[in-house]
Amino acid sequence: MGAKGKIALGVVVSVVVIGAVSANAGDDGDSGSGGKGKDSAASAERGSDTKSGTKSGTEADADTKKDAKAGKAEKKVAFQGDGDFEVGTDVKPGTYLTTGNTDSLCYWERAKDASGEMDSILANDNVSGTSYVTIPAGDKLFKSSGCRDWEAVDTKATGTPAALVKGDGGMHRVGVDIAPGTYKSTGNTDDLCYWERTKDASHSMEAILANNNVSGTAVVTVAAGDAYFKTTGCKDWKKTG
């Protein structure tokens, strides 16, 4: 079945707060949960086109050399943001990252077969900002639509964790993108703010450690043992402790 009729089970329309809310889920390495969703049609813009047009090959090479001298890491694309990819053939099992997505136009899906039926969906999501997803060897297909290109993630890599997190930034690796601690988000309305702490990037229901839909002020403690913190539709989060 085509992408148009699917609705992401994990985080798109509502939320499944562990205990009692309604329906939403997501993190770094297992098999997945069912999904139902897709709300994306337009692809997010990709590439290095500017207002004046696309750079020539010579200019691009010169920029690459400048970046190398400046110490910038060259982006290594594992696979594109649009298409159906056979696991083991087109894409290797592992953890991947897509960044810079806007307005939840990015949709991805892990599937156990190529039937296109709802029952084949293992996990899925509509993404704004960043998403991590772990594709196990047992998956058959990985589908991506309207997403920025996907990069392979070095799970042993370190980073400079931030103490201020964009409220619609998507998924953040704890200890790499975001520092453990207590965070506060204020000014949220109509329960549109959703946050989630997870133990991996499988996006299975079992991966969720805690989650909530919030109106008003939200406070959450991200533990050092958490793998990811996910936030969508929220005001920015500031570390308070």
Side-chain angles (χ1 to χ4, degrees), residues 8-11 14-27 30-36 110 122-124 194 196-211:
L9 213 188
V11 187
S14 30
V15 173
V16 175
V17 172
I18 299 176
V21 180
S22 43
N24 213 329
D27 176 298
D30 290 62
S31 51
S33 89
K36 314 171 182 170
R110 291 174 44 221
L122 296 168
N124 64 354
Y194 173 77
E196 179 179 293
R197 295 170 46 225
T198 64
K199 62 183 180 182
D200 59 42
S202 67
H203 293 263
S204 67
M205 295 298 292
E206 294 76 15
I208 301 174
L209 297 169
N211 65 351

Side-chain angles (χ1 to χ4, degrees), residues 16 36 40 63 65 106 139 153 173 185 191 208:
V16 175
K36 314 171 182 170
S40 65
D63 284 348
K65 291 177 181 179
C106 165
D139 288 7
V153 173
R173 286 181 68 190
S185 171
D191 286 333
I208 301 174

